Amino acid sequence: MRLGVLDVGSNTVHLQIVDTAPGARPNPTANFKEDLQLTSYLDENGNISNDGIEALRSCIGRALKEANLANTKELLPFATSALRDAKNGAEIIELINKEYEIDLQVLSGEEEARTTFLAARRWYGWSSGRLLMLDIGGGSLEIAVGVNEAPDVAFSLPLGAARLTKDLLEGDPFTKKSLRSMRDHIENKLGEILPALVQNQGTDRAIATSKTFRTLARLCADWIPGNGKDLRIDSLRKITPRLAEMSLDDRADLPGVSAGRARQIVAGAYVAESVMRNLDVDQLEICPWALREGIVLKWMDWMEV
């Protein structure tokens, strides 16, 4: 069966075409992605502007055309923190669903963490034991811990790389004052959930998913000997000051760092270091599967019932 997974995130609108069957591994066959940076369209009242709505409508329209050209049998559309947190998010969802006759659903932060955790569990299998899963998106940070396919605890915090960059970082290169302010903000937010996380840790394997962690692992491998398949906190601590001191143009010139990712990778590095340090994690394995794969797996499980 050919599925179209439409991910309306804080950074991109991403359509992934997947071939799968009950009990089979999801096999990506094509991708269509546009860099939207939806959080950049938020006004002072927390609403997505008319320009942002129009840009989102256009991106989704083009993605749906690609889905039709690929002969997808089922579309699985979902949205994450940008639309979840926007004051007019529900209104925008209703408009899009009516215009395009789709069923775009907003995932809660906990649902996002649980679904990503499911993908990681299926990738590593039962033999991996108790998993700690971390995911830094554009708008939020997801953390989940557990030994089964459903995690024991799952959290979502407003510590996404794009959100922090937009709200707290200033200058180019970023000012030291704004970097300190962001660091303190990250620590305060993490402090709200650390007691529950520490109580439920004792993990056998610590893994990270999605583009921010993959980009950081690649940068560490480029600048410090490594394989790009894991992220060590000692390496992260070496590259983070270098990234923070660079201009936006200099970061955009780095291999594997897109123009959209270049501005927010500094915030992503600070979040990653803070989480790893607070949870006493020295190394994270980069998991190839993340939220979109989790959406496919959940849907296929439902189809088998």
Side-chain angles (χ1 to χ4, degrees):
M1 177 180 292
R2 176 158 291 183
L3 305 176
V5 186
L6 181 60
D7 178 357
V8 181
S10 299
N11 291 320
T12 62
V13 172
H14 190 161
L15 172 71
Q16 188 172 62
I17 307 299
V18 177
D19 287 340
T20 189
R25 167 177 167 161
N27 179 36
T29 60
N31 283 281
F32 172 82
K33 181 167 67 173
E34 290 197 41
D35 190 358
L36 180 59
Q37 301 294 324
L38 196 55
T39 51
S40 67
Y41 290 99
L42 284 171
D43 63 23
E44 63 276 8
N45 297 316
N47 291 299
I48 294 174
S49 68
N50 289 333
D51 286 345
I53 295 172
E54 183 56 36
L56 177 61
R57 288 177 58 253
S58 298
C59 283
I60 290 178
R62 288 189 288 272
L64 293 178
K65 288 181 181 179
E66 294 293 327
N68 288 332
L69 289 172
N71 296 317
T72 56
K73 301 302 181 185
E74 190 78 32
L75 184 72
L76 309 179
F78 67 92
T80 54
S81 64
L83 284 176
R84 180 168 70 228
D85 297 337
K87 294 287 183 61
N88 58 343
E91 176 186 334
I92 295 170
I93 294 280
E94 183 179 1
L95 171 70
I96 287 171
N97 283 341
K98 183 177 181 180
E99 178 178 2
Y100 292 112
E101 297 182 339
I102 61 175
D103 187 23
L104 179 63
Q105 298 285 329
V106 177
L107 298 180
S108 71
E110 183 177 334
E111 287 173 331
E112 192 173 342
R114 288 181 172 275
T115 304
T116 306
F117 183 89
L118 170 65
R121 168 59 70 196
R122 294 279 179 91
W123 179 265
Y124 287 108
W126 296 110
S127 62
S128 58
R130 191 171 183 81
L131 284 182
L132 166 67
M133 184 282 301
L134 305 176
D135 185 338
I136 301 171
S140 59
L141 161 72
E142 275 68 50
I143 307 175
V145 181
V147 71
N148 297 309
E149 290 197 339
D152 297 328
V153 293
F155 297 100
S156 179
L157 293 173
L159 294 177
R163 181 196 298 269
L164 292 173
T165 303
K166 178 179 182 295
D167 292 347
L168 297 173
L169 292 183
E170 300 173 352
D172 184 20
F174 299 127
T175 66
K176 292 182 179 179
K177 180 180 178 180
S178 68
L179 287 167
R180 286 194 300 269
S181 176
M182 181 184 68
R183 181 195 59 203
D184 292 343
H185 176 76
I186 293 168
E187 293 290 323
N188 289 335
K189 284 294 182 182
L190 283 175
E192 298 173 5
I193 64 166
L194 279 178
L197 273 178
V198 170
Q199 180 182 357
N200 284 276
Q201 198 168 352
T203 52
D204 300 302
R205 203 163 197 162
I207 65 99
T209 73
S210 299
K211 190 60 180 287
T212 295
F213 277 115
R214 288 199 301 271
T215 301
L216 290 171
R218 174 170 180 170
L219 288 172
C220 285
D222 286 345
W223 291 355
I224 302 165
N227 57 18
K229 296 180 180 179
D230 54 45
L231 179 65
R232 296 186 57 85
I233 194 168
D234 55 352
S235 298
L236 182 60
R237 285 171 174 161
K238 291 176 182 177
I239 72 164
T240 298
R242 293 174 62 181
L243 288 171
E245 291 169 358
M246 298 172 75
S247 69
L248 175 61
D249 288 343
D250 287 340
R251 288 194 301 274
D253 285 338
L254 295 172
V257 180
S258 65
R261 191 73 51 178
R263 182 165 179 79
Q264 64 191 56
I265 195 61
V266 174
Y270 271 77
V271 174
E273 192 279 336
S274 184
V275 177
M276 294 176 74
R277 170 170 39 81
N278 278 288
L279 293 179
D280 197 24
V281 173
D282 293 330
Q283 180 173 311
L284 293 167
E285 295 181 60
I286 306 301
C287 179
W289 281 4
L291 180 57
R292 285 186 292 275
E293 287 78 12
I295 291 290
V296 172
L297 293 168
K298 284 188 70 173
W299 192 83
M300 293 304 298
D301 288 350
W302 177 77
M303 288 292 290
E304 290 185 66
V305 174

